[in-house]
Amino acid sequence: MSSTGRFWNVPLRHGQAALLAAFLAAGSLSLRAATPAETERKIDALLAKMTLQEKLGQMSQAVLRDLSDKTKEEIRQGRWGSLFGGGTPAEKAAAQRIAIRESRLGIPLIFGQDVIHGYTTTFPIPLGQSASWDPELVRQAAHIAARESSAGGIQWTFSPMMDIARDPRWGRIAEGFGEDPYVASQMAAAMVRGYQGDSLEAADSIAACAKHYVGYGATEGGRDYNTTWIPENLLRDVFLAPFQAVREAGVATYMSAFNNLNGVPASANEFTLRQVLRDEWKFDGFVVSDYTAIAELIPHGYAADAKSAAQKGIVAGVNMEMVSTTYWDNGKALIEGKQVDPKVVDQAVREILRIKFRLGLFDAKGQFSPAPAAASTADALETAKRLAAESLVLLKNQNRTLPLARSIGKVAVIGPLADSARDQLGTWAMGEPDTVRTPLAALRQALGENRVLFAPGLKNSRDNSHDGFAAAVKAARGADAVLLFLGEEASLSGEASARAYLDLPGAQEALVNEVSQAGKPVIAVVLAGRPLTFHNVAEKVNAILYAWHPGTMGGPAIANAILGDAVPSGKLPVTFPRTVGQVPIYYNHLNTGRPPADSGPEANNKFTSKYLDVSFTPEYPFGYGLSYTHFEYTSLRVSTPGMGLGGSLTISADVANTGAVEADEIVQLYTRQMTASLARPVRELKGFRRVHLKPGEKQSVEFALRGGDLAFHKGSQLVTEPGLFQVWIAPDSAAGTQGQFVVTP
Ligand code: BGC
């Protein structure tokens, strides 16, 4: 790729000639990509030219609302290093032209956007993608999102979100990968690889942003933006793990979170931002704050005023301030007052410029010319359909209610989410609702209009009116099976969308009660951004398919599963509670001194760790999901009864398809260290694999385990301790075939 072509056809402004000379000296006119050392020399040359205000400008990011004369002049003056969240592709291209051609040093802007689960084509919400347990497919989807968004002038996405969440009241559980650090690490790393491709410089690669660093998901009471308290070993084993995995996958940027972590706001937290991210993980890209998170240091009670907030953010290592302007407003005074070392500012700017160089923004990628917005390509729609299909989790299937025979006469399609394009897209959706294929449309297409009796019953998921019930019951009576599309609308999950109740909102439960009286088989399809509690509904219906918010192609994916053209294979990436009162409930908890039992003599022991009014077990455990066939797990084998701390062994078991349908199964590996110097969880996921089995087929599924896979943190120290381990190969976190092995010193 030619690296400085743009200099030939634009007039050089004051200072640019000198810069060009420096570039030439640094050898940037070659056709090959710059070496890291060459890039650093280019950054040196730029830094030597930059005024303090230009440096503070690079450290500032604003929302691009419109390209007004004021914004144009600000770009010319180097006021912004990045713009995000708005502007048409043409406006972005025009803004970039001004930055490159009319600003003193020609430093390009970087355009950010929340491309969270797709751009033109909307894939399932991340929690749904996680339910696929298919990192390769997740990578492909992210790559499509990068291709579509880069064509629209976007170079940086604020994704993946990898906050571990054990509390479904928190609406942002929808945006992440669930409760497990291993699954989240796999998914987050796959997304980063998808966005960033083999090289950030490629035209269809965009920079990823690991967010929200860190601990945000442990928010007290599930309320958004709330405080978090996380001991260091838990922080490192659980909450930091996916952030470390994406560091290893080469993520370009991080976003510092809103929450206060152990008394220090995450956006001014020198421990996480400097010690862990820079000193331990050697991250050399840049950190952007979350939206106004630097100014929010004041209400956090951590900074007295904007000047102190800026000082704390800069010193802690937040390179770029999103939306609030404390850096710009106070940077000069802080340096003059010796409260911020100018070297710290230079380093912060260096890391921002480094990513701009790596992205090729100084080269071809900076010369973006807007293309007319294109519709989703066939491969994008196919990937969206596959991912939506693989994310479907079958939670109940009494007497093989599903799949419905194609020869079925009529189906009643009922419920507020059967034909709600906007809600099907979920939170943070960029795609247009009119591109969405809803379940109603897909079923009509598959069965023909006259075999589908549609009566929504409720206008939306929060509707409390029973006015539509009579028509719904009539449809149910006239049909051979009832498909009920329940759940929560898109706006009930995502940012600032915490719920204290996890029930189906509105009059949905009443609708189920009415409709089930028609005496027809009832299948509930639940579209939601979080685990909901729907115990009574589950008792009443014959089958339940959990579809999350499945995106553009959710309708065809669901219709295919209902009609048996595809077999559900998703597994829950998060525990489903029976009631909100059990929250937080997660599979990898400690055992306590009085573990409860649900069978055997201990089940009646009152003095164990349980509730008087509800079981201690979840409604559906982590990792759970049924199929149209049945899988049997037998004969766990360990290659050797013991291994040393640095050793390895293999664990295998037979998994057999004992049903009549060929299908995928997600086989899971769990371990438990029985005794250690810090008590270990009752189970920890260490591996998973998607296997495809024909009816009657049996496969030995094998996992390799190294001593290091069993490590945990004692404070900052990562240790593997000798001892006895139990091990399971399992269909979910509450079942499986079991064995044991020993780790010797
Ligand atoms: C959210 C981030 C998002 C940012 C920019 C914030 O409110 O917490 O996740 O990336 O806005 O839109």
Side-chain angles (χ1 to χ4, degrees), residues 8 51 54 56 60 86 173 234 239 281 294 335 342 375 405 475 487 510 544 584 588 642 654 684 693 710:
W8 305 130
T51 64
E54 283 165 337
L56 295 171
S60 303
I173 197 170
L234 189 68
F239 293 88
W281 298 352
I294 300 298
I335 287 191
I544 306 169
N588 49 356
D654 294 335
E684 289 178 277
L693 294 177
L710 304 166

Side-chain angles (χ1 to χ4, degrees), residues 708-733:
D709 297 331
L710 304 166
F712 60 91
H713 282 94
K714 289 183 77 175
S716 64
Q717 224 192 332
L718 186 65
V719 296
T720 307
E721 289 186 356
L724 176 66
F725 287 77
Q726 290 189 342
V727 59
W728 296 259
I729 290 184
D732 63 61
S733 63

Side-chain angles (χ1 to χ4, degrees), residues 255-336:
M255 183 184 290
S256 66
F258 286 130
N259 55 295
N260 183 315
L261 172 64
N262 300 333
V264 181
S267 286
N269 198 307
E270 289 191 46
F271 168 63
T272 54
L273 291 165
R274 289 239 180 252
Q275 182 180 320
V276 176
L277 189 60
R278 301 290 182 180
D279 300 346
E280 296 179 20
W281 298 352
K282 313 284 180 228
F283 173 64
D284 70 354
F286 73 88
V287 177
V288 63
S289 78
D290 204 344
Y291 204 107
T292 63
I294 300 298
E296 289 171 30
L297 298 177
I298 303 167
H300 268 300
Y302 194 69
D305 51 27
K307 187 174 169 193
S308 155
Q311 192 254 351
K312 293 193 158 143
I314 295 171
V315 168
V318 177
N319 306 61
M320 187 183 277
E321 179 177 18
M322 187 190 283
V323 175
S324 53
T325 59
T326 71
Y327 285 12
W328 175 264
D329 298 340
N330 301 285
K332 190 158 176 277
L334 285 168
I335 287 191
E336 283 168 2

Side-chain angles (χ1 to χ4, degrees), residues 433-456:
D434 62 8
T435 62
V436 170
R437 322 238 175 128
T438 66
L440 176 68
L443 286 160
R444 280 182 171 153
Q445 194 179 356
L447 296 173
E449 300 258 340
N450 52 0
R451 288 167 67 199
V452 177
L453 309 177
F454 176 52

Side-chain angles (χ1 to χ4, degrees), residues 388-424:
E390 287 193 6
S391 75
L392 295 174
V393 185
L394 184 66
L395 294 176
K396 176 175 181 179
N397 198 15
Q398 196 178 39
N399 302 327
R400 298 212 182 96
T401 305
L402 283 175
L404 296 180
R406 278 219 164 243
S407 56
I408 190 162
K410 288 187 171 153
V411 296
V413 172
I414 296 171
L417 289 152
D419 194 34
S420 180
R422 176 68 200 89
D423 293 318
Q424 185 176 319

